[in-house]
């Protein structure tokens, strides 16, 4: 009966406790997985945002530079020697300003309103006329808001820079005259897309993917370890700049987190296999540890129960049986403890004395 009581009070609660603990652990696991993915997304966005802020700071240095303003103000130059000297000045400025941004290699191009071009590039102006910039969508956007800075990927600028096989990211803005703040040229700051990928490569899941999208949803950069780009995922993204959800792609369930790169208002999309996250989390699961602890507690309780309760009762039962078999009323039961079993033994001895 005592062992039955032990079973009902310990083993049965254990059998009920483990499924409840498992359910609780799964709920905690789901929350932790979402948190881990969001933290990774925040890290990616913060790294990119920091670099964009630094590039904007460098862009402001060019915007406010008096030498550049003076060079653009001079108007069309037919003296090629003077043009080369002005270009050397701008290149020296670039070398000085680039030291403030160690993580990416910047290239600077300046195009004046009269289509002079300055910078350290090999410009293909023969096949890509500078006047063609006026027809580009980004140029029309700048005209609508002359003080803004746009972040773009652009085939025209790629061809102008003679890098049709290499993808660049561009920051474009107007340069102003300091007396009346009228437009007098365009500042184009560029860096390799591969340099951008290096900035967030350490946050890409081993079997996952990261996509960087511009304001219009166009793809800026990606590292697609999960090979999900062709699945049409980017065409089904929800509205807004922050979201977390699950989706099955190519037969595999993924955790997808959307976040914002604040400065250019681009979006990061991080795609991670759900199973990969759960395998990582299992290393911190509480179920095995708590189950082992519970079993140890039950074993310790069983040992104490057996040693201090069951054995004295067995001994008392054996003594009573011996008295019954011998029929000698002078024999007495040995009292080994002061607990209830000891009191019962003492009362039994008193009963024999009275008989």
């Amino acid at each position: 009966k005592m062992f039955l009581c032990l079973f009902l009070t310990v083993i049965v609660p254990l059998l009920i406790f483990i499924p409840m603990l498992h359910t609780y652990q799964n709920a905690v696991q789901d929350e932790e997985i979402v948190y881990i993915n969001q933290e990774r997304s925040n890290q990616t966005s913060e790294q990119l945002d920091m670099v964009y802020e630094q590039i904007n700071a460098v862009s402001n240095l060019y915007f406010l530079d008096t030498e550049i303003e003076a060079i653009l103000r001079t108007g069309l130059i037919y003296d090629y020697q003077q043009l080369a000297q002005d270009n050397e000045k701008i290149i020296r400025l670039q070398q000085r300003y680039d030291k403030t941004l160690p993580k990416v290699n910047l290239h600077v191009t300046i195009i004046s309103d009269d289509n002079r071009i300055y910078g350290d590039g090999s410009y293909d102006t023969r096949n890509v006329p500078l006047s063609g910039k006026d027809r580009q969508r980004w140029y029309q956007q700048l005209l609508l808001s002359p003080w803004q800075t746009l972040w773009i990927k652009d085939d025209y600028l790629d061809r102008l820079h003679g890098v049709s096989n290499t993808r660049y990211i561009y920051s474009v803005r107007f340069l102003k005259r300091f007396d009346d703040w009228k437009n007098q040229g365009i500042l184009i700051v560029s860096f390799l897309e591969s340099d951008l990928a290096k900035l967030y490569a350490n946050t890409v899941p081993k079997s996952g993917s990261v996509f960087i999208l511009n304001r219009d949803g166009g793809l800026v950069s990606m590292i697609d370890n999960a090979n999900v780009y062709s699945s049409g995922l980017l065409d089904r993204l929800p509205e807004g700049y922050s979201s977390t959800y699950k989706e099955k792609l190519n037969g595999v369930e993924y955790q997808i987190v959307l976040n914002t790169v604040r400065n250019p208002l681009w979006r990061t999309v991080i795609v991670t296999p759900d199973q990969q996250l759960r395998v990582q989390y299992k290393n911190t699961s509480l179920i095995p540890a708590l189950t082992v602890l519970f079993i140890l507690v039950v074993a310790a309780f069983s040992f104490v129960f057996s040693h201090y309760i069951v054995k004295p009762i067995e001994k008392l039962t054996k003594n009573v049986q011996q008295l019954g078999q011998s029929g000698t009323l002078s024999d007495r039961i040995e009292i080994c403890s002061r607990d209830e079993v000891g009191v019962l033994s003492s009362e039994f001895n008193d009963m024999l004395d009275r008989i």
Side-chain angles (χ1 to χ4, degrees):
K1 288 182 179 180
M2 289 184 179
F3 277 107
L4 178 61
C5 179
L6 177 65
F7 177 80
L8 292 177
T9 57
V10 178
I11 304 301
V12 172
L14 178 62
L15 296 176
I16 297 174
F17 169 75
I18 290 179
M20 291 177 61
L21 179 61
H22 182 73
T23 301
Y24 170 76
Q25 184 71 23
N26 283 341
V28 172
Q29 185 182 49
D30 288 340
E31 291 181 3
E32 187 68 18
I33 286 172
V34 170
Y35 175 77
I36 291 172
N37 241 5
Q38 287 176 338
E39 283 297 300
R40 179 183 288 137
S41 178
N42 290 338
Q43 182 182 357
T44 303
S45 297
E46 288 170 4
Q47 286 182 350
L48 296 178
D49 188 64
M50 179 180 64
V51 172
Y52 287 132
E53 288 286 354
Q54 292 174 340
I55 294 175
N56 276 341
V58 172
S59 176
N60 288 335
L61 293 176
Y62 286 100
F63 180 84
L64 297 172
D65 193 278
T66 55
E67 285 190 77
I68 294 176
E69 196 267 349
I71 289 171
L72 295 179
R73 185 186 285 269
T74 56
L76 191 60
I77 299 174
Y78 295 97
D79 184 348
Y80 289 102
Q81 185 176 359
Q82 181 63 46
L83 190 64
Q85 290 176 355
D86 290 343
N87 196 57
E88 283 297 322
K89 289 181 183 178
I90 290 177
I91 291 175
R92 284 197 297 270
L93 287 173
Q94 176 182 344
Q95 292 171 349
R96 185 173 70 193
Y97 293 153
D98 281 0
K99 293 179 181 178
T100 64
L101 192 65
K103 290 190 176 182
V104 294
N105 294 319
L106 294 183
H107 301 276
V108 175
T109 300
I110 295 175
I111 304 175
S112 66
D113 278 355
D114 52 21
N115 290 330
R116 285 171 287 150
I117 187 167
Y118 302 94
D120 62 351
S122 300
Y123 306 110
D124 187 11
T125 55
R126 178 176 297 181
N127 296 314
V128 187
L130 294 176
S131 58
K133 71 181 184 305
D134 301 347
R135 297 187 295 273
Q136 304 307 311
R137 182 169 177 265
W138 55 265
Y139 186 83
Q140 300 301 319
Q141 288 179 296
L142 285 179
L143 289 176
L144 293 174
S145 183
W147 290 94
Q148 69 176 322
T149 298
L150 295 178
W151 291 88
I152 60 172
K153 288 181 70 175
D154 186 72
D155 290 335
Y156 168 81
L157 291 177
D158 284 344
R159 289 184 286 111
L160 175 63
H161 287 76
V163 290
S164 56
N165 295 325
T166 306
R167 308 304 292 175
Y168 273 79
I169 296 171
Y170 301 94
S171 167
V172 294
R173 68 188 299 181
F174 279 131
L175 293 172
K176 307 283 187 176
R177 295 166 60 101
F178 290 167
D179 53 357
D180 56 11
W181 298 109
K182 290 183 179 180
N183 301 333
Q184 64 171 355
I186 298 174
L187 173 65
I188 303 169
V189 180
S190 60
F191 59 94
L192 284 168
E193 181 188 327
S194 58
D195 283 346
L196 175 68
K198 292 176 184 177
L199 297 176
Y200 64 85
N202 63 327
T203 65
V204 181
K206 183 177 180 181
S207 301
S209 302
V210 172
F211 303 95
I212 312 296
L213 309 179
N214 62 22
R215 297 185 186 189
D216 301 324
L219 181 64
V220 175
S221 178
M222 72 174 181
I223 298 178
D224 188 17
N225 295 334
N227 297 317
V228 295
Y229 176 68
S230 59
S231 67
L233 165 69
L234 302 183
D235 299 326
R236 300 188 299 272
L237 294 177
E239 296 294 330
Y241 282 90
S242 179
S243 181
T244 302
Y245 64 99
K246 291 183 182 181
E247 183 172 339
K248 183 169 285 190
L249 304 169
N250 303 327
V252 179
E253 190 168 68
Y254 291 91
Q255 292 271 353
I256 301 172
V257 180
L258 278 64
N259 213 330
T260 306
V261 183
R262 183 184 58 193
N263 193 288
L265 288 181
W266 288 357
R267 290 202 292 179
T268 61
V269 183
I270 296 185
V271 182
T272 311
D274 184 73
Q275 186 60 34
Q276 177 183 329
L277 291 169
R278 294 187 182 280
V279 168
Q280 293 174 353
Y281 187 82
K282 281 182 181 178
N283 294 330
T284 60
S285 176
L286 297 176
I287 293 178
L290 291 179
T291 302
V292 170
L293 178 62
F294 200 96
I295 291 174
L296 290 176
V297 170
V298 170
F301 180 80
S302 299
F303 173 79
V304 172
F305 186 83
S306 173
H307 183 76
Y308 290 100
I309 299 178
V310 176
K311 284 187 177 179
I313 293 177
E314 288 179 345
K315 188 174 182 180
L316 174 61
T317 303
K318 185 177 180 180
N319 288 336
V320 172
Q321 288 175 344
Q322 289 175 350
L323 285 173
Q325 291 173 357
S326 65
T328 305
L329 298 180
S330 60
D331 292 338
R332 295 294 180 267
I333 296 175
E334 181 183 358
I335 301 174
C336 300
S337 65
R338 296 181 180 180
D339 56 13
E340 287 79 358
V341 176
V343 172
L344 178 61
S345 301
S346 177
E347 291 294 329
F348 190 83
N349 290 335
D350 291 344
M351 181 187 69
L352 292 177
D353 290 339
R354 288 192 293 271
I355 295 175

